[in-house]
Each structure stands twice: as structure tokens, then as C-alpha cells.
Amino acid sequence: EGRIADMSLNDILDALFPAGHAVAVANQVITGEAQTAQGPVAVLGTTDAAAIDHAMALAMADFTLDTVEQHPGRPLIFLVDTCGQALSRSQELLCLNGSLAHLAQCVDLARKQGHVSFSLVTANAVSGGFLSFGLMADRAYALADAQVRVMDLRAMSRVTKIAHERLVELAANSPIFAPGAESYVRMGGIEAIWPGPSAALLESALSAARQAGMASDQRMDAGLTRGGRNLATGVARAVQDSAVGG
């Protein structure tokens, strides 16, 4: 077998859905459906390291809403390959931030309507392009070759005013600063890394999502257990207790 990075989207789909799939790609947006041992699923996402723009965000939001309306309860599987949100003045004027927020709200609506979901990072997962739908899923997974990061260390240095050299030192010991799928596993953001696209792993992930149902998000707890986020759970519980007490 070749490296995952050398696999085409159709190769990945064939490996994930050997029972068949009918998936279209338009403007780097993936939409369609596929067959699993547990029934049909909706498939959507992005490919070719897409820079998600206004039109792409709305296309995925529309497909999500159509699935909620036409196929109640159908699981949603997000395939993620994005270099982040599109960076241009025109996209800002079109309120891309609002379009990405709308997409995230649609994923949340689907969850509240009983649609379980999970995402699989097939190549790249960067910044707002990942946050708006990949991390909005109930659980996230990544293929072994996947590159996952929210912000490059040099960009982080410009924003935080912390020297790049210091951030490199911090990244060596803390997954919060370090890019890579392994760091996100330690932080609980990614459930597990798959060695390759696999129908068996997909079925297992789908079963886990169904069993969890509307249960509370366990990612902060996973980050604590794995030693990647040592403070988030305690802070969140303190805030919650304070709100209840008030």
C-alpha cells in the first residue's frame, strides 16, 4: 500500500465505505451519502487542502440542514482537509466569520435533533476551517499522516508577542503549543489516530458515537487523563459550580 498522503479522495472513500458511496465534489466541498453496516450515513467536508470561504461554508451548512430535514437521525461523517479559512478582504466583507459560525450552529442543530457525528482528518486541519465543523462533531479522528494545527508558531508569536524561540521551547513539552495530531490526542481534541482509512475503524467510531448519544462532551476530561490539558476541567467545573451557587 502507498502512503496515506498519496491516496486520492476516492481511494479513501473506497476504503471507508466498501459497501458503496455516492459522493460529489464541487468547489472542493464534499457532499453525498455512503453505506455502512449500520445503515446509510451522510458524508460531507472538504478536500484538496481547501481554504474555506463564504460559499463553501454555506454549501456545507445547506447540506447539513437538508440532511436534518430529509433524513432524520442519519449520522453525519465529516471528512476534513482544509488549510483554514479563506484569507482575503473580500471574504471579510462577506462576513466569513458569520458564515463559519452559521455552519457550526447547523452542526449543533443536527446534534440536538439526534444526528450523531464524527469527523476524520484525512490530510490537513487548520484554524477556523477545522474549528467550524471538524471539531464541532461529537468526536474527531485523524489519519496517521494528517497535519493538525490551529496556528503556526510564528503566527502565534506575532499574536501573543512571545518570542518564537520561547514558543518552540514550550512546544517541546506542552501539546497546547505544539502542532500535530498527536498533540491534539493528548489534549482530548482528537479521540484517536487511525493508521489508515478503515471500514472497521469507521464502524467502531460510528458505534461509539451512537452509544454516547447526547452524553456530555468528554474531551476536557480526556485531555486531563492524557496529561495534555491539566487545568481546563477544574476551571470549567469551578465556573459551573459558581453559576449554580449564584
Side-chain angles (χ1 to χ4, degrees):
E1 295 184 3
R3 294 175 64 251
I4 299 171
D6 297 328
M7 297 181 72
S8 68
L9 173 62
N10 202 60
D11 291 334
I12 293 173
L13 290 169
D14 286 345
L16 293 174
F17 307 109
H21 54 83
V23 174
V25 178
N27 189 31
Q28 295 178 285
V29 173
I30 302 165
T31 56
E33 63 180 49
Q35 299 300 319
T36 74
Q38 301 173 53
V41 296
V43 181
L44 70 157
T46 54
T47 187
D48 296 328
I52 299 179
D53 61 15
H54 175 77
M56 296 167 71
L58 292 186
M60 286 190 283
D62 286 349
F63 182 79
T64 301
L65 293 178
D66 286 345
T67 300
V68 171
E69 180 180 18
Q70 299 173 19
H71 306 286
R74 176 173 287 187
L76 293 162
I77 297 179
F78 301 97
L79 300 181
V80 181
D81 182 7
T82 171
C83 66
Q85 69 270 32
L87 301 175
S88 71
R89 179 66 172 167
S90 63
Q91 289 298 316
E92 290 182 3
L93 291 173
L94 286 169
C95 297
L96 177 58
N97 61 322
S99 300
L100 293 174
H102 173 61
L103 172 57
Q105 288 178 312
C106 290
V107 177
D108 188 49
L109 172 67
R111 177 185 297 109
K112 291 175 178 176
Q113 294 296 318
H115 295 257
V116 300
S117 62
F118 70 85
S119 62
L120 176 63
V121 181
T122 59
N124 304 278
V126 182
S127 193
F130 183 34
L131 299 173
S132 60
F133 72 102
L135 278 180
M136 281 298 296
D138 296 329
R139 297 185 179 192
Y141 299 85
L143 297 183
D145 284 356
Q147 301 297 314
V148 183
R149 65 184 186 278
V150 170
M151 186 177 288
D152 176 82
L153 289 182
R154 293 191 181 279
M156 192 183 298
S157 176
R158 291 193 294 271
V159 171
T160 63
K161 309 305 180 185
I162 299 173
H164 177 257
E165 294 76 12
R166 177 56 178 155
L167 290 176
V168 172
E169 293 175 1
L170 291 171
N173 299 305
S174 173
I176 295 174
F177 294 94
E182 295 83 359
S183 295
Y184 280 80
V185 170
R186 286 187 60 194
M187 290 189 290
I190 289 179
E191 182 67 18
I193 296 175
W194 295 1
S198 161
L201 290 174
L202 182 142
E203 296 289 351
S204 177
L206 186 55
S207 295
R210 289 183 186 278
Q211 291 171 8
M214 291 292 290
S216 60
D217 195 313
Q218 300 298 309
R219 280 176 270 207
M220 283 194 303
D221 291 333
L224 178 63
T225 301
R226 298 168 184 176
R229 296 183 71 193
N230 297 323
L231 300 177
T233 299
V235 170
R237 287 175 179 166
V239 172
Q240 184 179 33
D241 292 344
S242 175
V244 172

